[in-house]
Amino acid sequence: MSDASQPKRVVIGAASCPKLPRHIRMRHDAARDRWLILAPERVFTPDPIAVAVLNLCDGSRSVESIAAELAQTYNAPGQRILADIVPMLQGLADKGVVTA
């Protein structure tokens, strides 16, 4: 029996249109020259690849179109990028940093 008070897990796939929830912000820390993800009572330090992906997560692009855009930008195989970013976005969704 499922507990109605438990939030449903967001599952990220190629057709998902991820975005940062309203209470999550990405900011560049100029003093340390790094990006931060600011969440209530938590701070994440994404790597440069995660920053490139998260900058494209606007809620209107699908994960597949994000992968295609990154493939064109970095001249890399789109399916390989898709295979790499889906688990990354799923991990962030599990932490509440990304929704779809």
Side-chain angles (χ1 to χ4, degrees):
M1 189 163 156
S2 77
D3 185 352
S5 66
Q6 291 289 333
K8 287 189 174 186
R9 181 178 187 231
V10 174
V11 178
I12 303 292
S16 302
C17 294
K19 66 179 181 176
L20 298 177
R22 288 189 336 201
H23 64 279
I24 305 288
R25 300 280 182 251
M26 249 182 55
R27 298 277 186 245
H28 186 259
D29 180 354
R32 293 176 184 86
D33 192 27
R34 66 179 178 185
W35 283 91
L36 301 172
I37 299 172
L38 307 174
E41 300 183 24
R42 297 179 293 169
V43 176
F44 300 93
T45 307
D47 65 24
I49 295 168
V51 171
V53 173
L54 290 170
N55 279 327
L56 298 174
C57 292
D58 58 8
S60 65
R61 293 180 179 110
S62 69
V63 174
E64 191 169 41
S65 67
I66 290 169
E69 189 167 332
L70 291 170
Q72 188 173 33
T73 300
Y74 295 104
N75 195 24
Q79 288 303 313
R80 173 61 193 224
I81 291 176
L82 182 63
D84 289 344
I85 67 173
V86 167
M88 181 202 73
L89 288 169
Q90 185 62 62
L92 291 171
D94 291 345
K95 293 175 184 168
V97 175
V98 173
T99 189

